[in-house]
Amino acid sequence: MSSVQTSPTTTIKRLSWKTARALPASIATPSYDRSRVVPGIVHLGVGAFHRAHQAAYVDDCLAAGETGWGITGVSLRSADTRDALTPQDGLYTLAIRSSGQEKLRVIGSIGSMLVAPEDPSAVLAALTDPRSRIVTLTITEKAYLRAAGGGLDVAHPDIVHDLANPELPKTAHGFLTESLARRRAAGVPPFTVLCCDNLPANGATLHRLLTEFAELRDARLDVKSDAGIAGHIAHQVAFPSSMVDRIVPATTDTDRSRIAEELGVEDAWPVMTEPFCQWVIEDNFPQGRPAWEQFGVTMVSDVRPFEDMKLRLLNGAHSAIAYLGLLGGHVTVDRAFADPAIRAFVDALWAEAIPTLPRNAGLDTASYTAELAERFSNTALAHRTAQIANDGSQKLPQRIVASALECLEAGTRPEHLTLVIAAWIAACEARGKTLPESHFADPLDVPLAALFGRGLPTGETVESVFDLAGFAKGEPGRGKLMDLTTAHLEQLRRGRPAAAFATLRI
Ligand code: CS2
């Protein structure tokens, strides 16, 4: 039996299929026979979000008797999740937390785990296995390697590497393209690619980026376009878009100890989440799919309205709360949201963004924002503002900049939206000063630090940041957005967010 050595004298049993049978009755455990489950889904990016969301839906399907959809989890970077879960037979605890309540459930849908940098061939083998009919992804915005402006970042070292070494890829693009090529050569139908990241039109976006990558690969291998893999990916592979939603704060050591006490055995990596869970998927799965709709998933023909509403209202507000919260000294979302100035700001932000959402799509924005307000007030989650603050340059385009540009087109002034951009810049500038140096991170940290080091006037700083991040690239409203952002950043540079709020008369 696997175990954890906690001190020279005590050995605590580890969560596993065997120990799960003896857990307290209040904890739900998988009731299915895992030896009958075959791997049907390969998931890239097996982090906490996937384990709180998709893996739980698949666990429901397996509990209902499906056997063809076990998950092979792949980490594209670190071995941490594999190291934590493999000794537990892939099992882990999902803690569903609301103010004053916690429900525990053990999830068993992840059958095995692979670490791409350790063994890229094993990942390619899993992706090429004819039983793998769906590949899902939660690799975060930055792993799509988009250049400023949206196309593939062809100069990125990992893209350059993967084009030169197609059999030893590092990126999702490299793995997907090589395995689709091998499947085609072996006469195995392509898997369906289901993107689950917070990008607009995420399936279509990945489809475009992958086709671009495959075109470069074909050109390098000197393959004629009709024989190349790019045409196959462009025309024969399905990329349904999906909207995913569940708030998943990072697990802390306190969480680990509490869960171990509840279970009576050690779980090296339990996942914390909220009761709310939503998944809306475009129903385009030529090789079949689990009966997700029986477990609360909404299958639709066009995910766009749901996606826009979620990105602009939930994620947009999250980023606002994160940066304004950090500048105002709030460590968690619920504490920041309880600050009357931030709460009023978020209401005003929603009022600005809502008119940019698709009309006649049946969206009920009033109940959506009321529910968001409840979710943001969940005191049991302790969702850190610094966690959401990560990767702002990758997140703000779809959460904030897109709606701000549409406000301008419609003739309204996106004052609150541009204040979020200014707050992101101010929070980045504050690191190493009023905020700890590595409080949060961004792929642009190195050029941003160089830029801030030049001590430029506010307007020039804003323009350089827009250039670096590609915000509103080529858009007629870019100048106006920069002006509004500059006015807010002037205020924020002078003091606390209160000064900037005052301009907005909050
Ligand atoms: C958050 C999201 O960290 C972030 O950027 O806004 O992870 C958010 O919690 C999820 O999208 C909720 O579904």
Side-chain angles (χ1 to χ4, degrees):
M1 179 176 306
S2 52
S3 57
V4 175
Q5 199 75 40
T6 52
S7 79
T9 49
T10 44
T11 304
I12 298 178
K13 278 187 200 157
R14 192 83 170 257
L15 177 64
S16 67
W17 281 91
K18 194 162 172 197
T19 57
R21 278 192 230 124
L23 294 182
S26 58
I27 301 169
T29 52
S31 54
Y32 44 90
D33 175 0
R34 72 169 168 145
S35 64
R36 293 186 53 230
V37 176
V38 296
I41 299 174
V42 179
H43 182 77
L44 306 185
V46 63
F49 180 80
H50 166 73
R51 295 197 280 131
H53 188 266
Q54 182 196 330
Y57 283 111
V58 172
D59 192 63
D60 285 336
C61 297
L62 299 181
E66 295 214 38
T67 52
W69 299 107
I71 300 172
T72 302
V74 176
S75 295
L76 288 177
R77 289 146 55 112
S78 115
D80 294 355
T81 309
R82 191 272 320 269
D83 291 350
L85 299 197
T86 301
Q88 304 180 179
D89 305 328
L91 293 187
Y92 62 93
T93 315
L94 187 60
I96 300 153
R97 316 194 71 197
S98 47
S99 309
Q101 254 205 348
E102 182 167 63
K103 250 178 63 190
L104 303 187
R105 165 180 178 188
V106 173
I107 305 282
S109 52
I110 302 182
S112 61
M113 249 166 301
L114 300 168
V115 180
E118 276 178 14
D119 196 352
S121 305
V123 177
L124 286 170
L127 289 165
T128 313
D129 185 331
R131 294 174 301 173
S132 303
R133 289 176 286 151
I134 301 179
V135 176
T136 49
L137 300 92
T138 48
I139 55 176
T140 80
E141 295 88 341
K142 61 176 175 290
Y144 289 84
L145 306 175
R146 293 167 298 161
L152 185 70
D153 183 358
V154 293
H156 192 284
D158 291 348
I159 295 287
V160 174
H161 171 276
D162 281 10
L163 287 170
N165 303 279
E167 300 198 344
L168 288 173
K170 289 183 177 177
T171 66
H173 315 61
F175 279 109
L176 293 174
T177 307
E178 176 66 13
S179 53
L180 284 165
R182 290 187 188 183
R183 288 175 83 105
R184 187 178 61 156
V188 176
F191 43 66
T192 299
V193 184
L194 177 59
C195 179
C196 302
D197 275 297
N198 286 320
L199 295 171
N202 55 7
T205 300
L206 177 55
H207 197 178
R208 189 171 40 72
L209 292 168
L210 212 61
T211 306
E212 209 182 315
F213 177 84
E215 278 164 0
L216 294 172
R217 173 184 151 123
D218 285 347
R220 226 189 136 91
L221 299 174
D222 205 15
V223 181
K224 296 248 172 329
S225 68
D226 48 349
I229 191 64
H232 180 71
I233 292 177
H235 305 295
Q236 308 295 330
V237 185
F239 286 78
S241 286
S242 81
M243 181 276 257
V244 295
D245 189 7
R246 196 165 213 187
I247 293 173
V248 185
T251 304
T252 63
D253 286 340
T254 314
D255 295 325
R256 283 190 180 85
S257 315
R258 196 187 59 251
I259 301 296
E261 217 161 278
E262 294 274 334
L263 299 180
V265 294
E266 193 93 12
D267 178 349
W269 206 333
V271 178
M272 307 298 116
T273 195
E274 59 173 342
F276 183 94
C277 195
Q278 190 178 20
W279 200 4
V280 186
I281 309 178
E282 285 175 0
D283 203 356
N284 177 16
F285 291 82
Q287 303 305 318
R289 61 167 174 80
W292 279 314
E293 71 282 8
Q294 289 177 16
F295 301 95
V297 177
T298 312
M299 304 301 302
V300 297
S301 57
D302 179 13
V303 84
R304 193 67 199 240
F306 298 94
E307 203 172 54
D308 280 353
M309 179 162 79
K310 194 252 169 173
L311 284 170
R312 295 181 184 197
L313 302 187
L314 187 155
N315 297 114
H318 246 178
S319 293
I321 293 167
Y323 301 120
L324 294 172
L326 284 175
L327 295 172
H330 299 296
V331 174
T332 61
V333 170
D334 62 296
R335 299 298 284 270
F337 197 61
D339 176 332
I342 293 184
R343 174 63 214 255
F345 179 86
V346 170
D347 281 335
L349 184 81
W350 282 335
E352 236 167 62
I354 285 171
T356 72
L357 298 176
R359 280 159 221 265
N360 309 320
L363 299 178
D364 181 352
T365 54
S367 30
Y368 190 74
T369 49
E371 195 168 26
L372 286 183
E374 259 181 52
R375 295 171 65 193
F376 293 164
S377 306
N378 186 340
T379 54
L381 282 183
H383 195 194
R384 291 171 67 81
T385 43
Q387 181 182 340
I388 301 168
N390 285 309
D391 299 340
S393 66
Q394 307 288 306
K395 293 174 175 174
L396 294 191
Q398 53 275 9
R399 298 178 176 204
I400 298 290
V401 179
S403 353
L405 284 169
E406 287 174 35
C407 285
L408 287 178
E409 275 163 34
T412 57
R413 280 165 72 88
E415 291 283 6
H416 297 80
L417 290 158
T418 47
L419 178 52
V420 181
I421 307 176
W424 168 59
I425 300 173
C428 290
E429 270 189 319
R431 283 175 302 169
K433 298 181 189 122
T434 53
L435 291 174
E437 182 74 53
S438 55
H439 208 42
F440 58 90
D442 196 284
L444 291 183
D445 273 343
V446 172
L448 281 175
L451 169 67
F452 297 145
R454 287 165 65 198
L456 296 173
T458 309
E460 282 177 51
T461 302
V462 167
E463 184 167 5
S464 306
V465 172
F466 268 60
D467 281 345
L468 273 176
F471 288 168
K473 191 174 178 199
E475 296 289 343
R478 182 171 182 271
K480 185 74 197 160
L481 281 196
M482 290 194 298
D483 290 347
L484 293 171
T485 306
T486 302
H488 294 310
L489 187 58
E490 294 273 6
Q491 296 289 345
L492 291 173
R493 277 182 157 179
R494 273 193 219 128
R496 313 295 291 173
F501 291 160
T503 335
L504 302 172
R505 293 190 190 80
I506 287 174

